[in-house]
C-alpha cells in the first residue's frame, strides 16, 4: 500500500523483492515440467513484477512438428487379455512418451502442447550458421537459422520413426506415428481461462501461427510411418 496509508515504502519494496525472488525460485524448480517458451515468459514477467499480469505473449520463429500416434485402441485390446494388462499398458505408454520427449529434447525441441495422443514440438530458429558446417550433408553449404531449425525438425522426426520401429519389433501391439511439419513465425500466449471453482481460475497456455496450421494439414495427409 502507499505510504500515506501508514505502511512504510521501504517495507513494500522489500516485500515485493522477496515475492519476486520466491516466484523466480519456484519457476526454476518447475522448469522441467513447463515448455521453454512458457518458462521464459514467466521468468521475464517476475523479473519486473511481483504479480503475474495476463495476458502474456511471446513471438518466435522456427519449425513445428505435429506428432500424432495411432494404435492405442488396438494395443489396449491386445493387452487387456493379460491379467496385468493395465500395468503393461501404462508401462508401454510411459515408455513411448518418454522416448518421444527425450528425442525431441535431444534435437533442441520444445514440447509446447499435448492434445490427446498428439504432441506439438517447436524447434526454435536460434542456431548461428557459422556453428554448423555441412549440416545438410552437402559440402560448403550454408544455411540460415530458420533452415537449420527445419533440418533439426526433420532429423528428429526420422529418429522418432526409427525408434518406434525398433521398439515395435520387440513389443506386442504396434503403434505408428503420423507427423506433419510446418515452418515460420509462432506466437505463444498465456491468458486467463475459465473458472474451475468459485475461487480458482485455470490459466490457458497455447501456441498459434501458420506453422501449426501447416503441420496439422500435413499430418492429415501423412500415412503410418510418414
Amino acid at each position: 500500500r502507499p505510504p500515506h496509508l501508514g505502511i512504510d515504502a521501504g517495507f513494500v519494496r522489500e516485500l515485493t523483492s522477496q515475492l519476486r525472488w520466491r516466484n523466480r525460485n519456484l519457476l526454476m524448480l518447475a522448469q522441467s515440467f513447463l515448455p521453454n517458451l512458457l518458462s521464459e515468459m514467466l521468468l521475464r514477467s517476475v523479473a519486473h513484477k511481483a504479480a503475474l499480469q495476463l495476458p502474456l505473449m511471446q513471438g518466435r520463429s522456427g519449425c513445428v512438428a505435429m506428432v500424432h500416434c495411432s494404435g492405442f485402441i488396438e494395443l489396449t485390446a491386445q493387452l487387456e487379455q493379460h491379467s496385468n494388462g493395465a500395468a503393461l499398458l501404462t508401462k508401454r505408454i510411459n515408455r513411448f512418451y518418454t522416448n518421444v520427449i527425450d528425442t525431441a529434447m535431444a534435437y533442441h525441441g520444445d514440447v509446447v502442447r499435448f492434445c490427446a495422443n498428439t504432441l506439438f514440438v517447436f524447434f526454435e530458429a536460434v542456431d548461428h550458421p557459422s556453428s554448423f558446417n555441412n549440416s545438410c550433408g552437402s559440402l560448403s553449404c550454408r544455411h540460415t537459422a530458420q533452415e537449420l531449425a527445419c533440418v533439426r525438425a526433420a532429423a528428429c522426426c526420422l529418429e522418432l520413426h526409427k525408434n518406434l520401429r525398433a521398439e515395435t519389433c520387440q513389443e506386442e501391439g504396434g503403434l505408428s506415428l503420423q507427423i506433419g511439419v510446418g515452418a515460420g513465425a509462432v506466437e505463444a500466449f498465456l491468458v486467463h481461462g475459465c473458472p474451475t471453482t468459485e475461487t480458482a481460475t485455470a490459466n490457458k497456455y497455447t501456441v498459434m501461427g501458420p506453422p501449426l496450421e501447416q503441420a496439422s494439414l500435413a499430418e492429415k495427409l501423412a500415412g503410418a510411418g510418414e
Side-chain angles (χ1 to χ4, degrees), residues 77-113:
Q78 292 184 19
L79 294 181
E80 69 180 3
Q81 307 299 324
H82 299 267
S83 58
N84 60 338
L88 291 174
L89 179 62
T90 300
K91 182 178 179 180
R92 182 72 184 277
I93 292 175
N94 287 342
R95 184 164 61 249
F96 168 77
Y97 280 113
T98 297
N99 176 61
V100 171
I101 294 173
D102 287 348
T103 302
M105 293 179 64
Y107 286 88
H108 296 179
D110 185 20
V111 180
V112 295
R113 183 193 297 177

Side-chain angles (χ1 to χ4, degrees), residues 22 32 35 44 52 57 65 71 75 86-87 93 106 113 120 123 134 149 152 155 159 166 168 189 210-211:
R22 186 181 67 179
S32 299
R44 186 177 295 109
L52 182 64
M57 183 184 72
L75 178 62
I93 292 175
R113 183 193 297 177
F120 289 86
F123 300 85
N134 312 322
R152 280 193 287 117
E159 186 72 14
T168 302
F189 296 91

Side-chain angles (χ1 to χ4, degrees), residues 7-87:
I7 299 180
D8 181 67
F11 170 77
V12 174
R13 286 194 297 270
E14 178 63 23
L15 178 61
T16 300
S17 176
Q18 290 186 16
L19 288 173
R20 184 180 301 131
W21 281 106
R22 186 181 67 179
N23 290 341
R24 179 185 290 273
N25 292 336
L26 178 61
L27 282 173
M28 296 300 291
L29 293 174
Q31 273 187 314
S32 299
F33 307 94
L34 299 174
N36 291 334
L37 287 177
L38 178 57
S39 297
E40 290 176 8
M41 284 195 296
L42 294 175
L43 285 171
R44 186 177 295 109
S45 175
V46 300
H48 299 90
K49 312 176 185 69
L52 182 64
Q53 301 293 324
L54 297 182
L56 296 178
M57 183 184 72
Q58 182 167 264
R60 286 289 190 272
S61 180
C63 190
V64 174
M66 179 179 178
V67 183
H68 175 79
C69 180
S70 58
F72 283 119
I73 295 178
E74 294 79 3
L75 178 62
T76 302
Q78 292 184 19
L79 294 181
E80 69 180 3
Q81 307 299 324
H82 299 267
S83 58
N84 60 338

Side-chain angles (χ1 to χ4, degrees), residues 198-214:
E198 293 183 358
T199 59
T201 299
N203 296 326
K204 177 70 174 179
Y205 171 73
T206 188
V207 178
M208 301 179 183
L212 280 84
E213 300 174 11
Q214 299 166 16

